[in-house]
Amino acid sequence: MHTEFDVIVVGAGHAGCEAALASARMGMSTALLTINLDTIAQMSCNPAIGGLAKGQLVREIDALGGEMAKVTDETGIQFRMLNTKKGPAVHSPRAQADKKAYQVSMKKRVESQNNLFLRQEIVDDLIIDNNKVAGIIGQSGLKYKARAIILTTGTFLKGLIHIGEFITSGGRIGELSSEKLSDSLRRIGFEVGRLKTGTPPRLNGRTINYKILTPQYGDDYPQPFSFSTEKIVCTQVPCYITYTNPDTHKIITANLSRAPLYTGQIKSVGPRYCPSLEDKIVRFSGKDQHQVFLEPEGLDTLEVYCNGISTSMPHDVQEAIVHSIAGLESAEIVRYGYAIEYDFVPPTQLRPSLETKLTENLFHAGQINGTSGYEEAAAQGIMAGINAALKIQGKEPFILDRSEAYIGVLIDDLVTKGTQEPYRMFTSRAEYRLLLRHDNADRRLMKYGYRYGLIAEQQWHKLQEKERSITEILTYLDKKMAGQDTLTKILSRPDTTFDDVLNLDTDLSQRRISKEVKEQVEIEVKYKGYIERQQIQIEKFKKMEDYKIPPWLDYQNISELRKEARQKLFQIRPVSLAQASRISGVSPADISILMIYLAGKLKKHRES
């Protein structure tokens, strides 16, 4: 019986799959343990990937060698580029996925991966040896040994489901929860908190009156998520839009006394930016309608996801809510909405590598860190998988900073600031978003995927050729004149496109230039001034980021620091002066004191 591995990944959701695949591809013998093998990579909530800022995360995962983008391209049934009327910094790809096809495709990739072993197992306990994790104990009594363990438990740690007064344990409706693992974490010494999320009812599409609804179609020419996908070939379908109305809101208001969110039955904090319908009605009482986005769950099912009406109201109230909405008057609910409370481990207990500070070789990724969303989970998963492998190999951890990737922003926010509610990524969280666009994720990050063996030679050479082409064309535009101006100056005009420039120059028009290269050249020319200013800001940021703080520093002995600053710095243990400056409760004056103290301390340390 094979029970000894280099890496064990607990949980096979979006974080777990990316973590396990990365670890195995880096040569680690990897076990992926999950409560149910039939629900690997299941989309617990809406059948969609990407969106504002989330689309950037997916493309970054792809550039590092992950699978989420490829699976989305293979199973996506509607693709849209969001925010196209705004600048390229906030353009974000989004796709509706065939929910079951996505799950099957990801499971197949996991099953066929060399060095990766699947087991259906509930994990009850961690084995700790001298403050290092050494393995796990399954509910079956089996002990599995490992050199590193990654916990990607999603909503399954003591999951508690609410529909009105009805309460049941479960990680998802109809599925078991993990009841003992978070107790094990508490015994080790971890702080464990509680969060809440929710999901809306699903409907039988045959009973929806689509004739009176507004269809929303995808883009005419769908843009793939993965840099390795040539073309989207899956059948494309529309979504539909409807709205709640005053009658809907009256139903909810009249039944708030039965809402678990308001009776005290639910005690945890839910996602601020994706509230339940009853929460929206209370918080935005002056608004007489809210959008409901009807999303098909797949090509081979009539099930429809009602995005916008997440609820934990009783069954009869959910029926009344749905039937009050235009187009849904006769709609049949096939799955009721529900709320779920679950345990999480506040992420300030992690290093930037996603390894826990308390227990060596133990990594956390996904919702266990307080995040929400498939994309945030998958991004943490691939980083944890890479870092677990690097730790075993005795190599330096792989840490992306805020100037390199949305993934860097995500992880830095979590480990530096923590979160009191389910964390969601937004473009506004990224200070350098003009440089962290979805379209250049390969140019920013593929070098790392290639370094760690997660990007194939062919894909790497393709990027090198793309870079050469971009450089050659930019040089050509700088030198070639058209009338009194260079082609660069002409292209920099707001109303001029790259295709307009092609019409001005015969030599350029005869070259075979890919759409992706045209896009990169046009952005670099048009936003050159802004990009240069942001790069100057990054250089200043890098100086602070490169000012490392030694792990042995005792903050309690720096009497000049305020008490709050000492406490926060001791808790977070920042790895650099830049990270220290982002800690809530640490002032610029504290940073100045810390810098002066460090300079003197490091000098003495070197002399000794």
Side-chain angles (χ1 to χ4, degrees):
M1 187 180 295
H2 191 180
T3 57
E4 293 190 20
F5 304 91
D6 292 319
V7 176
I8 291 175
V9 180
V10 179
H14 303 284
C17 287
E18 296 291 359
L21 287 167
S23 169
R25 289 168 179 172
M26 290 177 69
M28 300 295 107
S29 170
T30 304
L32 179 57
L33 308 184
T34 178
I35 291 176
N36 186 350
L37 285 174
D38 293 330
T39 56
I40 287 175
Q42 178 158 312
M43 292 179 154
S44 304
C45 205
N46 66 319
I49 296 291
L52 301 180
K54 292 170 175 279
Q56 280 86 334
L57 286 174
V58 179
R59 300 213 95 196
E60 290 179 353
I61 294 164
D62 184 67
L64 291 174
E67 290 298 305
M68 177 172 268
K70 297 182 184 71
V71 176
T72 302
D73 290 344
E74 183 182 312
T75 63
I77 56 179
Q78 186 192 104
F79 289 77
R80 291 178 61 222
M81 187 63 67
L82 307 181
N83 270 351
T84 53
K85 293 182 180 179
K86 298 181 180 179
V90 292
H91 292 180
S92 300
R94 184 183 191 274
Q96 295 294 140
D98 185 310
K99 182 177 179 178
K100 185 57 67 174
Y102 183 100
Q103 180 192 340
V104 169
S105 177
M106 186 65 85
K107 184 183 180 186
K108 189 183 297 182
R109 290 161 194 258
V110 170
E111 288 174 330
S112 60
Q113 178 61 50
N114 291 335
N115 295 326
L116 182 51
F117 304 86
L118 284 172
R119 292 285 171 85
Q120 184 162 296
E121 180 75 83
I122 294 177
V123 176
D124 278 354
D125 207 349
L126 295 172
I127 301 171
I128 306 297
D129 182 11
N130 196 26
N131 289 330
K132 290 184 179 181
V133 73
I136 64 97
I137 301 174
Q139 190 182 68
S140 64
L142 279 175
K143 293 183 180 180
Y144 297 80
K145 293 182 179 180
R147 299 165 71 187
I149 288 177
I150 306 171
L151 299 184
T152 67
T153 49
T155 58
F156 283 75
L157 292 181
K158 291 188 183 293
L160 199 62
I161 291 167
H162 302 261
I163 306 176
E165 294 180 355
F166 171 75
I167 303 174
T168 186
S169 62
R172 274 186 295 254
I173 195 79
E175 296 186 43
L176 297 172
S177 61
S178 173
E179 290 297 314
K180 294 183 178 180
L181 183 54
S182 53
D183 291 334
S184 174
L185 290 167
R186 285 187 178 93
R187 283 197 303 272
I188 293 168
F190 286 99
E191 176 193 350
V192 177
R194 198 93 169 132
L195 291 175
K196 167 256 175 190
T197 189
T199 192
R202 276 71 156 177
L203 310 178
N204 184 338
R206 181 170 52 85
T207 62
I208 295 173
N209 182 8
Y210 289 112
K211 294 179 182 178
I212 66 169
L213 300 181
T214 304
Q216 184 179 75
Y217 297 93
D219 295 338
D220 292 335
Y221 302 99
Q223 180 174 334
F225 266 95
S226 175
F227 292 100
S228 62
T229 302
E230 295 295 330
K231 186 179 179 182
I232 301 299
V233 296
C234 196
T235 301
Q236 302 293 285
V237 298
C239 296
Y240 289 84
I241 296 173
T242 184
Y243 295 89
T244 64
N245 54 61
D247 288 340
T248 313
H249 301 186
K250 286 177 185 176
I251 293 167
I252 292 169
T253 303
N255 287 279
L256 284 178
S257 60
R258 302 175 64 199
L261 199 61
Y262 290 96
T263 62
Q265 183 175 307
I266 292 175
K267 299 176 176 61
S268 309
V269 179
R272 179 194 305 260
Y273 302 104
C274 189
S276 66
L277 181 58
E278 49 266 38
D279 202 16
K280 284 193 281 192
I281 300 308
V282 171
R283 285 166 54 186
F284 308 107
S285 57
K287 201 168 181 180
D288 60 5
Q289 68 174 25
H290 294 278
Q291 181 176 285
V292 183
F293 196 54
L294 300 177
E295 304 174 350
E297 296 233 331
L299 298 178
D300 298 318
T301 178
L302 292 176
E303 199 166 336
V304 174
Y305 179 92
C306 301
N307 196 335
I309 56 171
S310 174
T311 183
S312 57
M313 283 289 202
H315 300 90
D316 60 308
V317 179
Q318 291 193 39
E319 292 279 357
I321 288 170
V322 167
H323 296 151
S324 71
I325 297 171
L328 309 183
E329 292 88 351
S330 302
E332 174 190 342
I333 296 178
V334 295
R335 302 181 202 242
Y336 290 95
Y338 63 89
I340 180 168
E341 294 183 284
Y342 56 94
D343 283 351
F344 84 111
V345 181
T348 50
Q349 299 169 92
L350 297 174
R351 304 181 194 281
S353 63
L354 297 180
E355 183 183 20
T356 67
K357 298 171 185 174
L358 187 60
T359 304
E360 193 174 348
N361 299 339
L362 177 63
F363 296 78
H364 292 177
Q367 282 181 282
I368 190 172
N369 290 337
T371 59
S372 66
Y374 311 143
E375 303 82 3
E376 289 91 341
Q380 294 170 72
I382 193 169
M383 295 297 288
I386 292 170
N387 277 315
L390 292 174
K391 186 69 188 288
I392 291 172
Q393 294 167 356
K395 296 179 180 177
E396 287 295 309
F398 173 42
I399 298 170
L400 289 167
D401 68 41
R402 301 180 72 90
S403 69
E404 291 181 289
Y406 271 81
I407 294 175
V409 175
L410 165 68
I411 294 175
D412 183 65
D413 277 355
L414 292 173
V415 304
T416 304
K417 303 173 184 175
T419 186
Q420 302 299 316
E421 60 189 44
Y423 177 101
R424 179 179 177 180
M425 177 53 70
F426 291 102
T427 52
S428 59
R429 295 190 191 275
E431 303 93 321
Y432 311 111
R433 55 187 171 273
L434 180 55
L435 297 180
L436 307 184
R437 307 183 307 274
H438 80 89
D439 59 80
N440 69 355
D442 57 339
R443 302 178 68 193
R444 291 185 281 115
L445 301 180
M446 200 170 280
K447 59 187 177 186
Y448 298 120
Y450 181 69
R451 176 192 299 172
Y452 298 124
L454 303 178
I455 291 293
E457 288 285 345
Q458 182 181 1
Q459 187 67 23
W460 177 245
H461 291 316
K462 182 181 174 183
L463 174 63
Q464 298 304 101
E465 183 55 41
K466 177 179 175 180
E467 291 287 8
R468 280 192 291 271
S469 183
I470 292 169
T471 300
E472 287 173 6
I473 292 170
L474 285 170
T475 302
Y476 182 87
L477 295 178
D478 272 341
K479 293 180 179 179
K480 193 65 184 289
M481 303 292 293
Q484 300 297 313
D485 293 322
T486 63
L487 293 180
T488 295
K489 190 168 184 180
I490 292 170
L491 181 55
S492 67
R493 295 169 185 166
D495 56 346
T496 303
T497 66
F498 191 92
D499 287 335
D500 293 331
V501 172
L502 288 179
N503 294 330
L504 295 174
D505 189 270
T506 305
D507 292 339
L508 195 62
S509 65
Q510 291 176 349
R511 296 193 188 191
R512 295 182 63 183
I513 306 172
S514 70
K515 178 175 175 286
E516 292 75 21
V517 169
K518 290 179 183 178
E519 179 182 49
Q520 292 301 296
V521 169
E522 186 168 326
I523 289 172
E524 289 206 16
V525 169
K526 288 187 178 298
Y527 294 89
K528 183 180 179 182
Y530 298 103
I531 290 172
E532 287 176 348
R533 280 200 290 274
Q534 203 149 94
Q535 285 172 334
I536 291 170
Q537 292 172 349
I538 287 174
E539 287 175 14
K540 293 179 181 177
F541 163 80
K542 287 282 190 184
K543 289 178 181 177
M544 289 275 282
E545 207 66 53
D546 290 340
Y547 203 124
K548 300 301 181 184
I549 299 177
W552 43 259
L553 189 65
D554 186 356
Y555 296 101
Q556 302 301 335
N557 285 336
I558 311 176
S559 57
E560 294 84 357
L561 288 173
R562 293 175 305 111
K563 184 177 179 181
E564 181 185 8
R566 289 200 301 271
Q567 290 173 341
K568 293 290 182 67
L569 289 163
F570 176 78
Q571 177 194 7
I572 304 299
R573 307 293 306 181
V575 297
S576 69
L577 210 58
Q579 187 187 2
S581 71
R582 295 189 291 271
I583 298 173
S584 174
V586 177
S587 70
D590 293 320
I591 295 299
S592 296
I593 291 167
L594 185 58
M595 187 184 295
I596 294 167
Y597 183 87
L598 273 172
K601 200 73 175 175
L602 289 172
K603 183 179 178 182
K604 289 180 182 178
H605 190 72
R606 284 192 295 268
E607 290 172 350
S608 64

